[in-house]
Structure formats: C-alpha cells, structure tokens
Amino acid sequence: MYILLFIFFIIAMWLFSIYLLSYWKYVYWYAFLNLILIAIYFSIIIYGGKYLWGHDEYGLVAFLRLIFTLILHTTTGFIFAIYKSYKLRKDERST
C-alpha cells in the first residue's frame, strides 16, 4: 500500500512540475528529457548492476537504487520547476 502511495506522490510531483512550467516555451523538451533520463537511469541500474557494483544476490540493493534515483531525479526536477516558474513570473511582471 505504501509503495502505491509513494508512486502516486512521485507522479503527482512530476506532473505538478510540468504544470508549473506550462508557460515556458521549452516545457515539452523538459518532459521529454526527463523521461529519457529516467530510462537511462533505470537501464544502467538494472542492466549494468553486476558490472558496476558487483553481485547483488536478491536484487534488493538495485531496487533501493531505483527508488533513490527516482526520488532524487523528481525532487531535483521539482525544485528546478519552482525556480523556473518563479523566474518566468518575475520576468513577466517586469515587462
């Protein structure tokens, strides 16, 4: 149950960051590059795990790396969205 709540929270945070950037002309590039980066992170963690970090018998460390990467990436994107939204609105007011 907590995993579903966590996934919902991450998706909601990502969608809200896209909403904050809806006035930005590069919002589609932002969303596209975020999806590409997530796919790259996941592929490196899932398929390159043995070669980069050694043997993980149960796959628990890889699972925790996936969760940590998703949290870090979404939080960083959300902070960027807040900053960029603030800057866009500040520039809009000054003109």
Side-chain angles (χ1 to χ4, degrees):
M1 181 67 182
Y2 291 117
I3 293 176
L4 291 176
L5 185 64
F6 168 74
I7 290 172
F8 176 74
F9 179 73
I10 291 295
I11 291 172
M13 207 160 83
W14 187 70
L15 289 175
F16 188 65
S17 69
I18 289 179
Y19 170 73
L20 285 174
L21 294 175
S22 63
Y23 299 108
W24 193 30
K25 63 181 177 180
Y26 299 115
V27 68
Y28 295 115
W29 281 105
Y30 172 78
F32 177 72
L33 288 176
N34 269 312
L35 290 174
I36 293 295
L37 278 174
I38 288 291
I40 290 171
Y41 293 154
F42 279 23
S43 63
I44 288 174
I45 290 172
I46 290 173
Y47 298 115
K50 274 192 252 182
Y51 304 111
L52 295 175
W53 296 292
H55 182 67
D56 184 16
E57 187 172 343
Y58 300 110
L60 190 59
V61 177
F63 180 69
L64 292 175
R65 279 190 194 111
L66 286 174
I67 290 175
F68 178 73
T69 303
L70 189 63
I71 291 170
L72 186 66
H73 180 83
T74 307
T75 307
T76 305
F78 186 69
I79 291 170
F80 171 76
I82 290 173
Y83 168 75
K84 191 67 177 173
S85 174
Y86 174 74
K87 191 171 179 181
L88 286 172
R89 290 175 195 224
K90 185 179 174 185
D91 291 344
E92 184 179 294
R93 286 186 203 143
S94 67
T95 57

